[in-house]
């Protein structure tokens, strides 16, 4: 079949009306549907990882955050590759094969989660392949930029990126629903610990029984369990009872602290401990789920879209070698745009990846703790919707002002999270405000994503091939957002039990990015008004 179009002149009104418009909008429709699945499969691990401990996978908190972070690391590197392959292979070949190759992570993860003996390194490799879904964004968006005239670029890019971003919400929304559906394979028992009922057990079971059960555990297990107790509480108890025996120390802890230890422990281990202390306890909650369905449901959609892409897409003739495309790095605005897009999309993608585990580890050990997957999908949904809505606004008022407002919004949200103790909570009463502030930050990231992608074609208006390359490059670097956010947030939680330090760093970075955007693209008399 013919791959390359003979002619493409979208700025020619006659050509656009008679030929170009139909092809461009058809291409946008197909690539956007494919991009939805790209984002969904990219963030698939962020929702599956939440369920792994309850199924019996003995992964630590740090390992779980690694699984969530690795797809972002992979996507960043793969987007760099995608930035340069579009002019070489064209839209048709890139989109069709990029869609088909995502069968590797969805099928692989589907089988891996069915066996609790699957080692961590296998999950790590599969998490890397999830990056296939994040990588192709840097081909899809430059492709769309080439298909549309300047007056419609902001709208087209806003539609594609915004609707494509809905894939994050799709993964986080569908997963809780599909867990009860058998697509292939047997169900597994997912265990969770009710912190309120666990508290009741420790308030009623005799201390000698608690000590006997805890003493029977391996010494390294005892140490790991006690490591989840807040240092101030642990030091206070140690000073009071003057002992080095972990079992005695555990028994001396306040009942609330012991309940939190069980809520933070691997659920299968906590189940064993709680059942030994109180065989009839209601603290252990077991539920049959089909975790593999959270991966397998993508398969038919990926196959169908790869076939449609192959038969219905065409490529714009824009042959350019990798060496020729490297000229974007000699332009200072490539680097300034990279910084602003890391602030907008990097924050969107980073929060999307880390949000479920933040809920689990910040608020999961309180009585009546929230289910992370009930709330997780709303954030990306809000960010995606605002990106679509403000794509039209960016065409009217320009993108620079929206990017500046985004920086202010993210900085303000992070300040509230820190000053109100929302990322170092002491009560579940803080949870509604925590979620509300995060949702507001998601909203601003969507506004900024629409603004930045309107800016770039204007900043590089004198060379549309460079504009396409910069869109791909900035998207590549911003795709490291899930890796950066997940690793730093996970590290903060492991070391301090809070995320204050991370958000302080985010504030400083966003101040820098906002100043750069305002100075070069937004203020009166700036170098590149956009």
């Amino acid at each position: 079949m013919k791959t390359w179009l003979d002619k493409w002149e979208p700025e020619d009104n006659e050509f656009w009306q008679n030929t170009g418009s139909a092809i461009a909008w058809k291409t946008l429709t197909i690539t956007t549907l494919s991009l939805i699945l790209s984002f969904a499969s990219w963030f698939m691990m962020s929702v599956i990882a939440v369920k792994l401990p309850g199924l019996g996978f003995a992964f630590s908190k740090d390992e779980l955050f690694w699984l969530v972070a690795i797809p972002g690391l992979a996507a960043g590197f793969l987007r760099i590759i995608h930035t340069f392959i579009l002019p070489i292979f064209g839209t048709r070949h890139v989109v069709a094969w990029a869609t088909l190759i995502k069968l590797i992570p969805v099928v692989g993860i589907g089988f891996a989660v069915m066996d609790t003996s699957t080692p961590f390194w296998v999950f790590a490799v599969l998490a890397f392949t999830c990056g296939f879904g994040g990588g192709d964004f840097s081909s899809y968006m430059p492709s769309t930029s080439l298909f549309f005239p300047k007056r419609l670029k902001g709208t087209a890019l806003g539609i594609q990126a915004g609707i494509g971003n809905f894939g994050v919400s799709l993964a986080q929304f569908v997963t809780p629903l599909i867990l009860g559906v058998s697509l292939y394979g047997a169900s597994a028992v997912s265990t969770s610990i009710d912190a309120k009922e666990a508290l009741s057990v420790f308030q009623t079971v005799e201390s000698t029984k608690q000590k006997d059960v805890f003493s029977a555990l391996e010494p390294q297990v005892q140490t790991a369990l006690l490591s989840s107790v807040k240092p101030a509480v642990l030091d206070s108890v140690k000073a009071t009872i003057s002992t080095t025996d972990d079992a005695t120390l555990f028994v001396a802890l306040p009942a609330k602290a012991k309940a939190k230890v069980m809520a933070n422990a691997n659920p299968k281990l906590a189940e064993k401990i709680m059942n030994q202390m109180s065989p009839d306890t209601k603290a252990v909650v077991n539920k049959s789920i089909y975790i593999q369905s959270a991966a397998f449901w993508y398969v038919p959609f990926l196959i169908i879209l790869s076939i449609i892409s192959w038969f219905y897409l065409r490529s714009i003739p824009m042959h350019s070698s990798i060496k020729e495309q490297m000229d974007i790095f000699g332009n200072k605005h490539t680097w300034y745009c990279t910084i602003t897009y890391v602030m907008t999309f990097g924050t969107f993608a980073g929060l999307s990846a880390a949000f479920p585990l933040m809920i689990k580890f910040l608020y999961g050990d309180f009585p009546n703790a929230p289910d992370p997957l009930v709330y997780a999908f709303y954030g990306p949904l809000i960010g995606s919707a605002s990106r679509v809505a403000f794509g039209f606004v960016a065409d009217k008022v320009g993108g620079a002002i929206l990017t500046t407002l985004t920086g202010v919004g993210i900085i303000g949200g992070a300040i509230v999270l820190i000053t109100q103790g929302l990322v170092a909570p002491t009560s579940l009463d803080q949870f509604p405000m925590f979620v509300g502030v995060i949702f507001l930050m998601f909203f601003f990231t969507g506004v900024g994503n629409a603004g930045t992608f309107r800016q770039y074609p204007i900043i590089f208006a004198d060379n549309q091939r460079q504009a396409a390359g910069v869109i791909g490059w900035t998207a590549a670097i911003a795709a490291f957002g899930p890796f950066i956010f997940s690793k730093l947030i996970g590290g903060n939680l492991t070391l301090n039990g809070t995320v204050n330090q991370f958000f302080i760093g985010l504030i400083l970075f966003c101040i820098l990015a906002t100043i750069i955007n305002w100075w070069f693209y937004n203020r009166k008399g700036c170098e590149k008004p956009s």
Side-chain angles (χ1 to χ4, degrees), residues 251-466:
V251 173
L253 290 172
K256 184 179 289 187
K258 287 184 280 191
K260 286 189 174 184
V261 168
M262 292 299 104
N264 281 315
N266 182 283
K268 295 297 185 183
L269 172 63
E271 177 185 25
K272 177 182 176 181
I273 295 172
M274 298 307 296
N275 283 337
Q276 288 178 341
M277 289 190 181
S278 178
D280 298 324
T281 181
K282 295 180 181 179
V284 179
V285 180
N286 287 317
K287 183 180 180 181
S288 293
I289 63 173
Y290 297 90
I291 186 66
Q292 64 272 25
S293 295
F296 285 146
W297 76 268
Y298 295 96
V299 172
F301 298 103
L302 289 172
I303 293 174
I304 291 170
L305 272 171
S306 63
I307 294 172
I308 290 174
S309 298
W310 183 258
F311 283 101
Y312 289 96
L313 293 180
R314 296 294 179 269
S315 305
I316 293 175
M318 187 194 62
H319 298 286
S320 180
S321 69
I322 292 178
K323 183 178 180 180
E324 290 171 328
Q325 296 177 66
M326 297 293 283
D327 63 354
I328 63 173
F329 299 120
N331 191 323
K332 66 181 181 181
H333 293 289
T334 297
W335 304 105
Y336 297 151
C337 291
T338 301
I339 292 173
T340 58
Y341 198 58
V342 168
M343 177 180 72
T344 59
F345 182 77
T347 300
F348 169 84
L351 284 178
S352 296
F355 190 32
L357 286 178
M358 283 177 66
I359 295 174
K360 177 179 177 63
F361 290 119
L362 286 175
Y363 290 90
D365 57 2
F366 291 112
N368 302 314
D371 182 348
L373 298 188
V374 171
Y375 298 91
F377 80 94
Y378 286 111
L381 180 68
I382 292 169
S384 302
S386 63
R387 182 166 194 166
V388 174
F390 280 85
F392 300 95
V393 176
D395 277 336
K396 300 294 183 182
V397 304
I401 181 62
L402 299 184
T403 305
T404 298
L405 290 174
T406 292
V408 173
I410 294 175
I411 292 167
I415 290 174
V416 173
L417 288 176
I418 296 170
T419 58
Q420 300 302 307
L422 304 180
V423 286
T426 57
S427 167
L428 192 61
D429 293 338
Q430 294 166 277
F431 182 70
M433 189 176 182
F434 164 76
V435 171
V437 173
I438 294 291
F439 286 171
L440 187 63
M441 293 174 73
F442 269 112
F443 170 81
F444 279 111
T445 63
V447 173
N449 288 334
T452 49
F453 265 47
R454 172 56 178 162
Q455 289 179 261
Y456 302 160
I458 296 175
I459 294 170
F460 294 88
D462 56 336
N463 189 324
Q464 288 304 298
R465 194 261 303 154
Q466 278 195 344

Side-chain angles (χ1 to χ4, degrees), residues 60-364:
S60 67
K61 184 186 299 184
D62 189 54
E63 287 175 326
L64 291 175
F65 272 104
W66 263 112
L67 292 181
V68 173
I70 288 172
L73 182 66
F77 287 118
L78 291 170
R79 282 190 179 189
I80 294 173
I81 295 172
H82 273 274
T83 297
F84 300 107
I85 64 174
L86 182 69
I88 299 172
F89 297 105
T91 299
R92 179 190 177 215
H93 283 85
V94 170
V95 174
W97 286 105
T99 303
L100 188 64
I101 200 174
K102 286 189 278 287
L103 289 172
I104 294 174
V106 302
V107 172
I109 291 173
F111 282 106
V113 296
M114 295 169 66
D115 183 1
T116 56
S117 66
T118 303
F120 175 77
W121 71 264
V122 172
F123 275 97
V125 171
L126 291 171
F128 189 91
T129 65
C130 285
F132 292 156
D136 50 29
F137 184 87
S138 285
S139 286
Y140 288 32
M141 295 297 283
S143 169
T144 297
S145 176
L146 294 171
F147 271 94
F148 284 84
K150 292 179 182 179
R151 70 181 187 279
L152 293 175
K153 287 184 187 293
T155 299
L157 292 171
I159 289 173
Q160 179 161 68
I163 294 178
N165 286 356
F166 278 118
V168 183
S169 292
L170 183 67
Q172 296 175 341
F173 175 74
V174 169
T175 297
L177 302 178
I178 204 73
L179 291 179
V181 180
S182 175
L183 297 180
Y184 176 85
S187 64
V189 177
S190 177
T191 301
S192 61
I193 301 298
D194 186 314
K196 185 177 181 180
E197 293 294 336
L199 176 62
S200 177
V201 169
F202 287 112
Q203 289 174 332
T204 56
V205 173
E206 294 181 356
S207 297
T208 52
K209 180 66 175 291
Q210 294 182 32
K211 186 174 183 178
D212 289 342
V213 172
F214 198 83
S215 297
L217 300 173
E218 295 290 331
Q220 62 268 29
V221 174
Q222 296 179 16
T223 302
L225 289 172
L226 289 174
S227 68
S228 67
V229 181
K230 290 184 177 180
V233 175
L234 202 60
D235 291 342
S236 175
V237 174
K238 284 181 178 179
T240 302
I241 63 175
S242 301
T243 183
T244 57
D245 179 61
D246 284 344
T248 303
L249 184 59
F250 176 79
V251 173
L253 290 172
K256 184 179 289 187
K258 287 184 280 191
K260 286 189 174 184
V261 168
M262 292 299 104
N264 281 315
N266 182 283
K268 295 297 185 183
L269 172 63
E271 177 185 25
K272 177 182 176 181
I273 295 172
M274 298 307 296
N275 283 337
Q276 288 178 341
M277 289 190 181
S278 178
D280 298 324
T281 181
K282 295 180 181 179
V284 179
V285 180
N286 287 317
K287 183 180 180 181
S288 293
I289 63 173
Y290 297 90
I291 186 66
Q292 64 272 25
S293 295
F296 285 146
W297 76 268
Y298 295 96
V299 172
F301 298 103
L302 289 172
I303 293 174
I304 291 170
L305 272 171
S306 63
I307 294 172
I308 290 174
S309 298
W310 183 258
F311 283 101
Y312 289 96
L313 293 180
R314 296 294 179 269
S315 305
I316 293 175
M318 187 194 62
H319 298 286
S320 180
S321 69
I322 292 178
K323 183 178 180 180
E324 290 171 328
Q325 296 177 66
M326 297 293 283
D327 63 354
I328 63 173
F329 299 120
N331 191 323
K332 66 181 181 181
H333 293 289
T334 297
W335 304 105
Y336 297 151
C337 291
T338 301
I339 292 173
T340 58
Y341 198 58
V342 168
M343 177 180 72
T344 59
F345 182 77
T347 300
F348 169 84
L351 284 178
S352 296
F355 190 32
L357 286 178
M358 283 177 66
I359 295 174
K360 177 179 177 63
F361 290 119
L362 286 175
Y363 290 90

